[in-house]
Amino acid sequence: HNHGFWRPKPLLDTARFTLSFNSRRRKNHQDSQALWKHETVQKYLETLSKEYQQVSHLLSADSLNDFEQRTLRRRCANLSPIAAAFQEIKEAEREVQELEAMCTELDSRDEKQLLELALEEKESLDKKMNMLCRKLFQLLVPKEKYDRSPVILEVTAGRTTGGDICQQFAKEMFEMYQNYADYKRWTFDIVNYTPAEIGGLHHAAAHISGENVYRHLKYEGGTHRVQRIPETGMSSRMQRIHTGTMSVIVLPQPEEVDVKVDPKDLRIDTFRAKGAGGQHVNKTDSAVRIVHLPTGLAVECQQERSQQMNKEIALRTLRAKLYQQVIEKQLSQEQRARKLQLGTRAQSERIRTYNFTQDRVTDHRISYDARNIKEILSGKEALDKLINRLLEFAEIEAVTQYLENLQALEGGG
């Protein structure tokens, strides 16, 4: 304000974020509590807390005009939940410190039972602290533009010398996401399904809608690797482990995708559907393939009996893919160092490995191991836990990167 009116300090700015999962220097900040204890975080939150008190005090002044009132109320609304969460964590931290002090004094045999109770209480408080820290960092990190959007999810089997394990794995993965959609109470509509001859899957796509779908699935995009002994053939008898890959692409699809497509730029082919869908699939040319000639983008739909309905769904998917090009430009401008989805589908770019012989799933971006592959592939609680760990790590990365930038700016004057 020209007359020396209060100026707001910026909250975290998405344009500065570098959500790089591969950074080794993040080891000390792998959970929310560890980041909370960082001196820069404490200093930053103290500043926001003081600013909230300042804004609250200014709002009680009678000398403010309408513009100043609106500006302060908006800022107050932004800061209020952050200040409240900050104080809540401070109180929980004091409780933990009191318990720790009490535990150091309880070392005689007579007090063993009391010590056990105190340690249980401390464990419960630690969980509460982590939950509160996570909530605080979620408040600090702005929601991404497309987090609430539905998505188009595509799976494609890779190539391997091992035969059909890629196609089988692609089918299992597609079913995993279908089960996960059911677990999250989302709607899962199959848009395209191209089965392999030996019971696996070459390619499939689905439209998934519901609450915060893109937020939960955005880090699933990339190359997924499988290591397993085939169930049939010479390798199964020799107990030889084969390695294969499949790729996942997740495209946010805002409800209103305003992309103009000139009918002259489209080549529309019809063909007989194949795969899951009932007896009608091989009787009529109901499946539709649309090719966008200027870009070479191609989409297929065969889920409906009606050719017209398949055409409408395919057009909607094509618009989503064209819109994705716009989204990628925006994201690359905002987050230049962050890799989007998959690159060449090379195994070196894998984001996750599913090792059936060791019954282990490893997410390489966050060095996270989970046991029991069947539980992960069931698409329920175990997968949800892994996805939430990715989201928490991304939030921590965002806050850490911002504070490092802040320190660099302060250090450089």
Side-chain angles (χ1 to χ4, degrees):
H1 194 283
N2 291 336
H3 303 292
F5 176 57
W6 162 90
R7 290 180 181 179
K9 296 174 180 66
L11 289 178
L12 301 189
D13 178 3
T14 45
R16 287 180 170 183
F17 286 178
T18 312
L19 301 186
S20 165
F21 279 120
N22 298 317
S23 179
R24 293 182 181 274
R25 61 203 167 118
R26 302 283 187 255
K27 283 186 178 179
N28 295 329
H29 298 157
Q30 284 186 350
D31 63 64
S32 299
Q33 267 200 78
L35 184 58
W36 154 261
K37 291 172 183 174
H38 196 280
E39 184 184 347
T40 311
V41 175
Q42 293 285 315
K43 186 179 172 183
Y44 179 67
L45 290 168
E46 287 283 1
T47 303
L48 291 183
S49 189
K50 285 175 184 174
E51 186 189 349
Y52 172 65
Q53 292 168 17
Q54 179 193 7
V55 171
S56 301
H57 178 71
L58 285 169
L59 272 171
S60 62
D62 297 328
S63 57
L64 298 175
N65 59 39
D66 288 344
F67 168 76
E68 291 170 345
Q69 283 276 359
R70 282 196 305 273
T71 304
L72 286 170
R73 283 200 195 99
R74 198 179 303 120
R75 184 60 173 174
C76 193
N78 287 335
L79 290 172
S80 177
I82 295 170
F86 181 54
Q87 290 307 317
E88 207 174 352
I89 296 171
K90 283 283 191 184
E91 286 169 20
E93 196 173 45
R94 276 193 292 272
E95 287 181 55
V96 170
Q97 287 167 355
E98 287 170 9
L99 263 175
E100 284 175 344
M102 189 172 78
C103 287
T104 56
E105 294 171 8
L106 298 175
D107 54 3
S108 68
R109 290 180 184 178
D110 296 337
E111 295 166 327
K112 187 180 178 183
Q113 194 173 1
L114 196 57
L115 178 62
E116 285 175 1
L117 287 170
L119 290 171
E120 280 179 25
E121 178 68 17
K122 185 179 179 297
E123 190 179 336
S124 175
L125 274 170
D126 277 337
K127 286 180 183 175
K128 181 184 175 183
M129 276 280 292
N130 212 54
M131 185 188 71
L132 289 171
C133 290
R134 176 93 195 271
K135 176 185 164 187
L136 176 64
F137 294 137
Q138 283 174 346
L139 289 168
L140 285 173
V141 178
K143 303 294 179 287
E144 283 193 27
K145 187 176 179 180
Y146 307 104
D147 272 0
R148 299 173 66 86
S149 298
V151 305
I152 296 287
L153 180 140
E154 296 186 13
V155 302
T156 306
R159 297 184 183 91
T160 179
T161 54
D164 57 75
I165 66 163
C166 292
Q167 289 92 337
Q168 182 58 40
F169 183 48
K171 183 182 178 185
E172 288 170 319
M173 289 291 286
F174 191 65
E175 288 171 354
M176 177 185 81
Y177 291 122
Q178 191 168 14
N179 292 336
Y180 187 59
D182 183 59
Y183 176 77
K184 301 293 283 186
R185 300 189 178 179
W186 296 335
T187 302
F188 189 96
D189 294 318
I190 296 174
V191 174
N192 182 35
Y193 195 94
T194 309
E197 289 113 18
I198 33 83
L201 180 66
H202 284 301
H203 173 265
H207 179 266
I208 310 173
S209 57
E211 187 178 352
N212 293 321
V213 176
Y214 183 64
R215 169 174 156 75
H216 285 86
L217 295 180
K218 59 188 172 183
Y219 297 124
E220 292 302 293
T223 300
H224 297 245
R225 182 175 72 165
V226 60
Q227 293 178 314
R228 75 193 323 172
I229 297 166
E231 294 176 2
T232 57
M234 182 68 76
S235 293
S236 66
R237 292 195 294 274
M238 295 175 68
Q239 292 291 291
R240 279 184 59 197
I241 298 169
H242 281 215
T243 298
T245 60
M246 57 82 63
S247 62
V248 177
I249 293 177
V250 181
L251 307 177
Q253 190 183 31
E255 297 290 357
E256 296 298 324
V257 179
D258 185 20
V259 176
K260 291 178 182 177
V261 178
D262 190 334
K264 293 176 187 174
D265 291 337
L266 302 178
R267 190 183 79 230
I268 301 175
D269 305 319
T270 58
F271 58 97
R272 290 191 179 181
K274 53 186 176 178
Q279 294 299 313
H280 76 284
V281 291
N282 293 316
K283 293 183 179 178
T284 61
D285 288 349
S286 60
V288 173
R289 180 188 297 109
I290 300 178
V291 180
H292 186 247
L293 299 172
T295 60
L297 279 173
V299 293
E300 292 180 7
C301 183
Q302 57 180 352
Q303 79 178 91
E304 303 293 342
R305 291 172 184 267
S306 159
Q307 187 184 103
Q308 183 59 33
M309 287 183 74
N310 281 333
K311 182 181 173 183
E312 288 171 10
I313 293 168
L315 271 171
R316 196 169 72 219
T317 306
L318 177 65
R319 285 195 187 94
K321 287 197 171 190
L322 290 170
Y323 194 65
Q324 176 68 7
Q325 294 176 352
V326 177
I327 291 170
E328 285 187 8
K329 280 182 185 177
Q330 291 175 355
L331 288 177
S332 64
Q333 287 166 4
E334 292 174 359
Q335 303 166 347
R336 284 187 176 86
R338 175 180 163 190
K339 270 190 158 182
L340 285 171
Q341 305 281 316
L342 70 165
T344 61
R345 296 182 187 173
Q347 286 191 25
S348 60
E349 294 182 7
R350 66 191 182 276
I351 63 167
R352 200 176 289 157
T353 294
Y354 302 73
N355 189 318
F356 278 79
T357 55
Q358 295 178 7
D359 195 25
R360 185 184 73 241
V361 176
T362 302
D363 196 292
H364 304 289
R365 297 163 295 181
I366 57 174
S367 302
Y368 179 89
D369 284 337
R371 296 289 172 179
N372 200 330
I373 285 181
K374 283 187 178 178
E375 276 191 27
I376 298 279
L377 291 177
S378 72
K380 295 179 182 175
E381 189 177 348
L383 178 62
D384 196 45
K385 183 180 177 183
L386 170 54
I387 286 172
N388 273 292
R389 188 73 188 95
L390 279 162
L391 290 174
E392 182 182 8
F393 196 94
E395 290 156 11
I396 290 168
E397 280 280 292
V399 176
T400 304
Q401 184 64 49
Y402 174 79
L403 293 167
E404 285 179 359
N405 292 344
L406 203 64
Q407 278 183 311
L409 285 170
E410 287 175 355

